[in-house]
């Protein structure tokens, strides 16, 4: 069994997709949020999953918050940390600790549109394709090795929310597939390149 800890900040629909995928060999050990009001916490708790809220506002520095977060994750004996709509930038000490065993899903076709407000920026740039990327997390924001990507069209009458919804539907397929590949030991990282065996 691989222990998985999922970090969220909000509704947690990607977390739900991973839980509902029922990945063989994956134990969802805990769902942790940096916002006590994150809606996804209640969803997980209702299903008997251990939950924890660590309010980042109660810590004096990013380092102090990340140290508390790492302690909680390590108490779960995590094999894999999954960022699912987690909205706090993590310190280098934290990303180093979980190097090669922490994934993120980002709502753009990286390396385009790192950071926030990706859908609006893709529309304004006139992109004809948008999408999402599952990548390993490194100290450099949204620049870790890419595991999977999925593309969707940008339509003439799209706005931020219609494009976000089209991308999110792909996220909900892509992220469980990436977690499954990790749990099954099919992922090999070679610098920035990732090979995923069938
Ligand atoms: N941390 C590191 N070091 N590397 C990455 O690749 C990370 C990361 C932390 C989160 C997710 C990410 C995304 O997919 C992620 C990847 C938050 C921000 C941000 O600016 C940027 C990117 C991502 C998540 N956060 C603000 C901050 O000051 C707070 C914004 C808010 O609370 O709404 O931390 O895009
Ligand atoms: C998702 O679209 C995810 O890719 C994005 O936020 C949404 C979270 O939805 N992540 C980021 O923007 C990270 N900065 P969810 O909480 O329903 O999974």
């Amino acid at each position: 069994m691989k222990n998985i800890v999922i970090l969220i900040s909000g509704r947690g629909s990607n977390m739900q997709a991973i839980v509902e995928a029922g990945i063989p060999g994956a134990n969802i050990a805990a769902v942790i949020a940096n916002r006590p009001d994150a809606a996804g916490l209640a969803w997980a708790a209702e299903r008997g999953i251990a939950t924890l809220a660590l309010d980042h506002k109660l810590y004096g520095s990013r380092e102090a918050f990340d140290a508390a977060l790492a302690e909680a994750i390590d108490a779960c004996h995590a094999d894999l940390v999954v960022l699912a709509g987690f909205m706090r930038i993590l310190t280098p000490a934290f990303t180093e600790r979980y190097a090669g065993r922490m994934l993120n899903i980002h709502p753009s076709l990286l390396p385009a549109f790192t950071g926030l407000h990706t859908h609006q920026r893709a529309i304004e740039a006139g992109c004809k394709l948008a999408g999402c990327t599952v990548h390993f997390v490194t100290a450099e924001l949204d620049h870790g090795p890419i595991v999977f990507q999925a593309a969707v069209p940008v339509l003439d009458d799209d706005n931020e929310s219609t494009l976000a919804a089209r991308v999110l539907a792909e996220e909900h397929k892509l992220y469980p597939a990436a977690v499954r590949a990790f749990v099954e030991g099919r992922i090999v990282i070679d610098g920035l390149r990732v090979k995923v065996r069938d």
Side-chain angles (χ1 to χ4, degrees), residues 27-156:
N27 172 47
I28 310 301
V31 174
I32 304 177
N34 67 309
R35 293 177 189 275
D37 60 351
L41 284 179
W43 187 93
E46 280 165 19
R47 280 151 189 85
I49 298 168
T51 60
L52 178 66
L54 282 180
D55 186 348
H56 66 270
K57 295 193 194 80
L58 302 181
Y59 295 84
S61 65
R62 284 188 191 267
E63 285 73 18
F65 171 71
D66 282 7
L69 188 56
E71 196 174 317
I73 291 168
D74 291 350
C76 298
H77 305 285
D79 299 292
L80 175 66
V81 179
V82 172
L83 309 190
F86 184 71
M87 299 307 289
R88 294 298 295 172
I89 294 172
L90 298 160
T91 58
F94 189 94
T95 57
E96 196 50 49
R97 185 182 190 91
Y98 301 105
R101 54 193 182 105
M102 178 158 56
L103 294 170
N104 178 44
I105 191 156
H106 182 76
S108 78
L109 292 173
L110 290 173
F113 308 118
T114 61
L116 304 179
H117 311 297
T118 53
H119 304 301
Q120 187 61 37
R121 288 158 63 206
I123 291 169
E124 282 170 8
C127 294
K128 299 298 187 192
L129 289 173
C132 51
T133 303
V134 176
H135 65 94
F136 283 98
V137 177
T138 60
E140 195 182 351
L141 190 65
D142 297 330
H143 277 81
I146 292 172
V147 180
F148 285 144
Q149 294 186 302
V152 302
V154 180
L155 304 181
D156 289 344

